[in-house]
Amino acid sequence: MLYLILGIITTAFAVVGVAVWAYGISRMVRVLGVGRPVEAARKADFGRRITNTLIETVGHTRMLKWRWIGIAHWFIMVSFPALVFTVAEAHGEVWDPHFHLPLIHDWTVYGLFIEVIATLSLVGIVGLTIYRQLRGPRVLGRRSKFANSRHWTAYYVEAYIIALLVAIFVIRGVKVALGEFPFPVWATPVSHAFGAVLPASEPLLASVAAFKLVISWLFFIAIGVFLTMGVAWHRFTAPVNIYFKRNADGSAALGPAKQMLDKDGEPLDFEEADPDEDPFGVGKIEDFTWKGLLDFTTCTECGRCQSQCPAWNTGKPLSPKKLVMDLREHAYAKAPYLMQGITEETPDVHEDVLALLSRPLVGTEEENGVIHPDVLWSCTNCGACVEQCPVDIEHIDHILDMRRYQVMIESSFPSEANTLLKNLENKGNPWGMSESKRMDWISEVDFEVPVVEDKLPEGTEYLFWVGCAGALEDRAKKTTKAVAELLHIAGVKYAVLGGMEMCTGDSARRLGMEFVFQMLAQQNIETLNEVGATKIVVTCPHCFNTLGNEYPALGGNYEVVHHTKLLAQLVKEGRLAPIERVDKNVTYHDPCFLGRHNKVYEPPRELITGVPGVTKAEMPRNRERSFCCGAGGARMWMEERIGKRINVERVEEALATKPDLIATGCPFCQVMVSDAVNEKKSKQEAPESVEVMDVAQLLLQSAKKGGEQAKETV
């Protein structure tokens, strides 16, 4: 009778569990369908996409960036499909404790496989549970990556996995006690250890098998009901989310900003766009693409993005994790009404429903906004969140889409940025200076700098794109002159555009003003194509990223190289020879748009270590985990009023290495780091001798004489 009751109960749970889970999937698909179409590219390249999906999931490439956590999670992930065999066996054991799977029930390889996976999964989940307790917000407060997570869902999933794995060993242990366990001790030591202390009880075996099945199907019922339980759903949605990521080659959605799409998912043409039909950014949750909604659904609340975010780490309200979670909750609350065709205009709508439907996506507490403006405008576009996310959520794309709506439709953005936009529109540079000022730096050098008049001079190897900062900002001008002199010493034939050069539009685009970006981009592309530019060298990573990654979509295809990479190549070729000693302790700050966005990490370091006398010390946060200077995402032009200044946080880390020189490869970084160093000096918290300069300036100190000697030898 006991076995009959257990069999009926577990079969009923299985039927209900499968039905509720399947219904949950159908509801989720319908919610995702509320979003707009994605660009066609996300549906192309099946081979590369499926290969990358397998590499990221089975290979756990992103999870393993956090080594032991990644290893533990891998075994837990593998256990989910691997232990299906034990669930199938349990459905027989509740009816008959002597039941066993056909064919493989006494195969030692099978017994060893289950033993290893279950043991290491149990160790892994217990370790992760303890880690959550030791590193949780109750201990670390805001510094915990689990801050802002919904803890009950994580505890439920952890408890379920632990209970399931323990049940597996109890069942196997009882079989050992009954003398019906066919596997040797050497292959299944944990199971035999359980068997040594458990009674030889058939009712116990059937009861534990029933318990195992009930908690398993309850798990499927729970997630079928709670569609926003990302910590559970990600095991199903993550592979799909990874497959449809923006870049088919598997790289993170960094580099180029996401293109604006029309209502059909095609790139938006401003000359033909209709604001009443085509979404200018995202103003409502349904303006996101279905892939955006899938991003929100897939969030595991692990907090890696939050732990790396410079805004969150300096006391600002932006948590990439919480932003995604808030959007997810709003999407799943609003979508059911949208699917029924209920809108704000529908008559006789209940007040609570009307409040939900009319809730602004971006707004203050008084406005009942889903995302606070301070959250939206705290982002520096540094890319740390996207780089770290194990399920490939594209945080920056979503932030940028919301900014676009706020700027182009609502005209709601930080007041300082208004000056930036006016200067870009009227003068073609953020400072609002006349185009003639772009050539002032040339008069400050004692060698010839060729300026393009109509076409690049014959034999020109590179067009030197100076950039707004490089031409107009005093500290960046020193980098420009250093690079120009190094190219001159190396005998590289180059030319500059002078007054014909305009801002690439990076700050306008990252602010959300796509119209101004495209206006500037089209003018620059026209100029570059007219002069015959094919190879371009730049000193600014923002220009480097925009020219190389974003202009191709608008018809500007060029080979773009950052100056650190070109200079490193010239040193390797012997065209530059750093031979003068520079006895300094140097630490290098990775610019976000050079490092994370474009994976240029080694050339600047090669230049630094190649200078005789230099001692290089790395900051704890370097390369892909480098900490932002605070200037990206158009933050260069906005005041930082909340929390600690990001550049101060970064400089404190740099000063801890006891440097004589903080080197970088970006004019924005140079300005931000210099400002923070000067602030520290004024408070007597940094030695007066500490300098901040571009890698090119350091190289010039050593290579000036060496280059002249190399030229004489040739």
Side-chain angles (χ1 to χ4, degrees), residues 364-379:
T364 62
E365 289 90 346
E366 293 77 12
E367 296 166 332
N368 194 32
V370 179
I371 304 299
H372 195 283
D374 288 340
V375 170
L376 188 67
W377 296 108
S378 292
C379 179

Side-chain angles (χ1 to χ4, degrees), residues 127-444:
L128 292 177
T129 303
I130 294 172
Y131 178 78
R132 182 180 290 272
Q133 297 300 314
L134 297 179
R135 306 291 295 177
R138 286 179 297 180
V139 177
L140 299 179
R142 184 187 177 93
R143 291 185 296 114
S144 170
K145 71 190 185 96
F146 300 115
N148 295 314
S149 295
R150 291 182 306 180
H151 303 293
W152 76 266
T153 57
Y155 293 146
Y156 169 68
V157 172
E158 289 168 349
Y160 158 63
I161 295 173
I162 291 172
L164 176 68
L165 294 169
V166 170
I168 288 173
F169 283 116
V170 170
I171 292 171
R172 288 160 74 95
V174 172
K175 286 185 175 182
V176 170
L178 288 169
E180 296 184 2
F181 195 60
F183 309 116
V185 176
W186 67 264
T188 55
V190 178
S191 298
H192 278 83
F194 271 79
V197 297
L198 290 172
S201 170
E202 294 178 358
L204 175 61
L205 190 154
S207 299
V208 175
F211 168 77
K212 172 182 163 185
L213 292 172
V214 167
I215 63 172
S216 295
W217 293 118
L218 274 176
F219 174 78
F220 280 87
I221 293 170
I223 66 175
V225 172
F226 298 104
L227 298 184
T228 59
M229 195 188 294
V231 69
W233 269 110
H234 80 275
R235 66 187 59 204
F236 305 105
T237 60
V240 182
N241 203 54
I242 293 169
Y243 178 87
F244 285 108
K245 67 193 295 185
R246 176 144 62 94
N247 300 328
D249 64 0
S251 59
L254 296 172
K258 178 187 174 185
Q259 284 186 274
M260 289 185 65
L261 306 176
D262 63 19
K263 62 181 181 298
D264 299 316
E266 298 297 323
L268 189 67
D269 183 345
F270 275 99
E271 293 183 2
E272 300 179 2
D274 180 0
D276 295 327
E277 292 288 332
D278 297 308
F280 277 37
V282 168
K284 303 183 292 294
I285 198 70
E286 58 266 34
D287 289 339
F288 285 107
T289 65
W290 62 258
K291 171 58 170 67
L293 300 180
L294 181 60
D295 267 2
F296 310 151
T297 301
T298 306
C299 178
T300 71
E301 304 177 28
C302 66
R304 292 189 182 193
C305 57
Q306 178 177 287
S307 71
Q308 303 298 302
C309 177
W312 181 258
N313 276 284
T314 53
K316 296 167 183 61
L318 169 61
S319 158
K321 174 178 69 176
K322 188 174 187 301
L323 178 139
V324 168
M325 291 171 60
D326 289 344
L327 291 172
R328 177 176 65 195
E329 295 298 321
H330 181 59
Y332 277 85
K334 187 177 181 180
Y337 300 103
L338 298 176
M339 290 186 290
Q340 297 175 54
I342 300 174
T343 66
E344 298 173 55
E345 287 74 34
T346 302
D348 302 322
V349 177
H350 191 277
E351 289 183 8
D352 292 342
V353 177
L354 184 61
L356 173 65
L357 294 173
S358 61
R359 187 180 184 189
L361 197 62
V362 178
T364 62
E365 289 90 346
E366 293 77 12
E367 296 166 332
N368 194 32
V370 179
I371 304 299
H372 195 283
D374 288 340
V375 170
L376 188 67
W377 296 108
S378 292
C379 179
T380 67
N381 280 205
C382 73
C385 51
V386 181
E387 174 74 31
Q388 287 295 322
C389 182
V391 294
D392 285 314
I393 293 171
E394 298 163 0
H395 312 74
I396 293 179
D397 287 350
H398 306 316
I399 288 172
L400 181 57
D401 274 337
M402 289 187 284
R403 283 186 173 188
R404 283 166 169 163
Y405 186 87
Q406 292 301 303
V407 173
M408 291 191 287
I409 301 299
E410 297 289 337
S411 295
S412 176
F413 51 91
S415 57
E416 310 96 304
N418 196 43
T419 303
L420 163 70
L421 293 176
K422 287 181 179 178
N423 288 339
L424 290 175
E425 287 188 75
N426 298 329
K427 297 294 184 179
N429 67 79
W431 287 276
M433 296 185 185
S434 66
E435 65 181 39
S436 62
K437 290 285 186 181
R438 285 185 176 273
M439 298 178 64
D440 284 357
W441 68 272
I442 297 176
S443 63
E444 300 169 14

